[in-house]
Amino acid sequence: METKKRVAYFYNNEIGNYNYGKLHLMNPKRISMTHSLIVGYGVYKDLDVYTTREATKEEIMQFHDQDYVEYLSNYVSSTKIDFLRKNGCTAPIIDEEAKNDVEKKRQYGIDVQADCPGFDGVYTFSQLSTGGSIDAAHLIINNAADVAINWGGGLHHAKKGEAYGFCYVNDIVICILELLKVFPRVLYIDIDVHHGDGVEEAFFTTNRVMTVSFHEFGEDFFPGTGGLNSSGEGLGKNYAVNVPLRPGMDDESYKQLFKNVMNKVMEVFRPDVVVFQTGADSLANDKIGHFNLSIRGHGECLTYMLRFNVPVVVLGGGGYTIQNVSRCWAYETGLLVKKNLNGPIPVDDPFFHLYEKQNMLHVPIQQVENKNSKEDLNKIQEEVFKQLKEVDA
Ligand code: TV7
Ligand code: CA
Ligand code: ZN
């Protein structure tokens, strides 16, 4: 029998106010929208709610290079500098020169082709994202929660010394490093539509972390890594699992593949704790991803992992149709406390105007062609099983 889980939830009202820029697709407001639904549907009462703190420089430097962290923490946008100067500020601004140094920007991945703009508060935003993931790990370590949620985390692309794919600080790697101080084996699961490359790379040569990413792959889809035969190196050989998929994945085929793979993973790896990145860009109608999952299908993957009675850190990630992201993560927060949320969006929600066109929690999805044939999927599952047979944890 599955027992009732103690579910902790990290949130900080500030995080929704950061802005990647007017045209950018990543919108931190979706975290505040998620929170409003959690409150509006009354899920709040069943959670242990914690205010997220900012991670310290020392914590961030457990993974990231000092020079990169210092560059980020001193970052001030040119707009902000212009504003300060116009208003008579004559004090030196620490990194005024560095931030205009095109060479450094390139080195640290800032602004490269617009994916990772330097924006005001980029460092504090990353500290908040990471603080929640670290404290989520600590609650699990102290056995003060069975499930710990940080929707502001899940930024899986950030590299040791470089911003990448909308991600500046890799809160997931830092969360896993905390867990490894106490637990022998950590399982990382990533259902964001993109490959979890930053996390995979960080643990590519260890057998203490198994990384499993399901993602869209091919036709230049970002980031292009995560092919079937990229599976770890050295001691980490076979401990990186990749499930590369074509556009159009639907609930039926995704759920079946997910459950089969994860069942086998749990059998061979027997983790002490699970870190689950639940990027919502794998939902239907995302502005970047091309999968066709419903919110219920996405959520079933998350709840499937509860049956193994291993503690879980639940993190956010991508998601670019923001109303669907907040719907999904609020629904999943509900599932974790055994509530099956449905019906209309509460009319007093402060973001109600954004849902007005479609005011239900669950939204219908059109049938689109699934470019993954049954044979393709069987072949992929077979290959993954072959790899997992070699795991001897
Ligand atoms: C975890 N796709 C992050 C996913 C990161 C995806 C990309 C964009 C994009 C960025 C924009 C923008 C965009 C319409 C979509 C090769 C490029 C092509 C930027 C225009 N519109 C996560 C990163 C991915 C930024 N990057 O996994 C500002 O799409 O494909 C690429 C690289 C070069 C850069 N250009 C896109 O979900 C959180 N970027 C509009 C404005
Ligand atoms: Ca993924
Ligand atoms: Zn993504």
Side-chain angles (χ1 to χ4, degrees):
M1 239 315 271
E2 227 179 274
T3 47
K4 201 164 161 81
K5 312 269 188 215
R6 296 162 300 165
V7 181
Y9 165 76
F10 286 88
Y11 179 69
N12 187 313
N13 222 340
E14 286 301 307
I15 202 159
N17 298 328
Y18 293 93
N19 196 331
Y20 278 60
K22 258 215 308 285
L23 300 175
H24 206 284
L25 295 176
M26 176 58 105
N27 190 347
K29 192 162 84 176
R30 68 214 175 106
I31 311 296
S32 307
M33 292 166 65
T34 302
H35 181 76
S36 290
L37 291 179
I38 289 172
V39 173
Y41 279 108
V43 175
Y44 204 67
K45 314 186 281 294
D46 297 317
L47 301 167
D48 294 324
V49 179
Y50 294 86
T51 301
T52 308
R53 65 171 175 100
E54 296 164 12
T56 66
K57 197 172 266 185
E58 289 66 39
E59 287 172 322
I60 292 174
M61 280 175 8
Q62 286 186 93
F63 174 56
H64 291 283
D65 293 335
Q66 178 167 0
D67 60 324
Y68 171 60
V69 179
E70 245 136 48
Y71 178 84
L72 262 194
S73 67
N74 290 325
Y75 187 85
V76 185
S77 71
S78 352
T79 339
K80 177 85 170 269
I81 293 177
D82 290 352
F83 173 85
L84 291 170
R85 295 295 183 227
K86 273 208 195 88
N87 286 275
C89 167
T90 52
I93 295 166
I94 300 177
D95 221 28
E96 177 158 11
E97 275 153 57
K99 72 139 216 74
N100 286 317
D101 183 334
V102 181
E103 208 32 62
K104 275 208 160 147
K105 273 195 159 175
R106 193 186 309 278
Q107 179 190 345
Y108 296 132
I110 301 302
D111 220 29
V112 176
Q113 299 179 296
D115 272 354
C116 300
F119 59 87
D120 286 313
V122 61
Y123 185 64
T124 319
F125 166 76
S126 303
Q127 285 178 293
L128 284 172
S129 161
T130 305
S133 302
I134 294 173
D135 282 356
H138 288 160
L139 281 189
I140 301 286
I141 288 170
N142 297 327
N143 190 21
D146 303 305
V147 176
I149 308 170
N150 175 29
W151 295 126
L155 302 182
H156 58 181
H157 297 304
K159 304 288 159 79
K160 196 176 163 60
E162 190 180 352
Y164 193 49
F166 312 170
C167 307
Y168 303 83
V169 170
N170 202 315
D171 64 290
I172 309 171
V173 170
I174 297 166
C175 169
I176 294 174
L177 289 173
E178 287 299 317
L179 293 167
L180 286 173
K181 291 175 184 172
V182 173
F183 296 114
R185 284 190 298 276
V186 180
L187 172 62
Y188 174 65
I189 309 172
D190 185 318
I191 64 168
D192 189 288
V193 78
H194 297 98
H195 176 227
D197 57 353
V199 184
E200 179 183 277
E201 186 179 308
F203 301 110
F204 209 57
T205 60
T206 176
N207 54 8
R208 291 184 60 199
V209 179
M210 180 175 278
T211 59
V212 185
S213 176
F214 297 77
H215 45 267
E216 182 172 342
F217 186 78
E219 292 187 21
D220 285 330
F221 194 74
F222 185 86
T225 48
L228 251 185
N229 46 25
S230 158
S231 55
E233 280 170 8
L235 282 180
K237 185 154 173 48
N238 297 319
Y239 289 79
V241 178
N242 284 299
V243 186
L245 300 161
R246 304 287 171 217
M249 281 300 287
D250 55 36
D251 283 351
E252 253 359 274
S253 50
Y254 194 90
K255 276 178 352 191
Q256 192 174 46
L257 186 61
F258 180 87
K259 289 177 183 180
N260 292 348
V261 168
M262 293 322 302
N263 222 355
K264 187 58 91 191
V265 163
M266 292 306 281
E267 189 186 309
V268 300
F269 186 60
R270 291 172 288 104
D272 302 287
V273 56
V274 171
V275 176
F276 202 140
Q277 197 269 22
T278 62
D281 47 6
S282 42
L283 293 173
N285 300 310
D286 187 73
K287 290 187 177 153
I288 296 183
H290 307 101
F291 284 179
N292 202 30
L293 302 184
S294 74
I295 289 169
R296 287 193 178 88
H298 193 274
E300 213 175 301
C301 295
L302 176 58
T303 51
Y304 187 74
M305 297 315 295
L306 297 178
R307 74 187 56 226
F308 299 100
N309 287 313
V310 172
V312 187
V313 175
V314 179
L315 306 174
Y320 306 100
T321 301
I322 60 174
Q323 294 88 342
N324 291 348
V325 178
S326 53
R327 285 177 166 111
C328 178
W329 290 347
Y331 172 73
E332 287 175 349
T333 308
L335 288 181
L336 294 170
V337 297
K338 300 268 178 318
K339 290 233 157 78
N340 218 313
L341 304 188
N342 56 49
I345 303 290
V347 287
D348 54 352
D349 190 289
F351 301 102
F352 185 78
H353 58 285
L354 297 172
Y355 303 99
E356 240 163 2
K357 279 199 201 121
Q358 255 185 336
N359 75 332
M360 301 303 270
L361 184 69
H362 293 281
V363 287
I365 55 179
Q366 316 78 279
Q367 257 346 98
V368 305
E369 188 198 349
N370 185 352
K371 301 254 182 168
N372 304 269
S373 69
K374 280 254 153 31
E375 298 76 65
D376 294 345
L377 295 171
N378 284 338
K379 187 91 198 121
I380 289 169
Q381 183 175 305
E382 204 177 290
E383 285 298 312
V384 171
F385 276 28
K386 214 185 282 169
Q387 176 185 335
L388 290 173
K389 269 212 182 74
E390 304 298 313
V391 171
D392 180 26

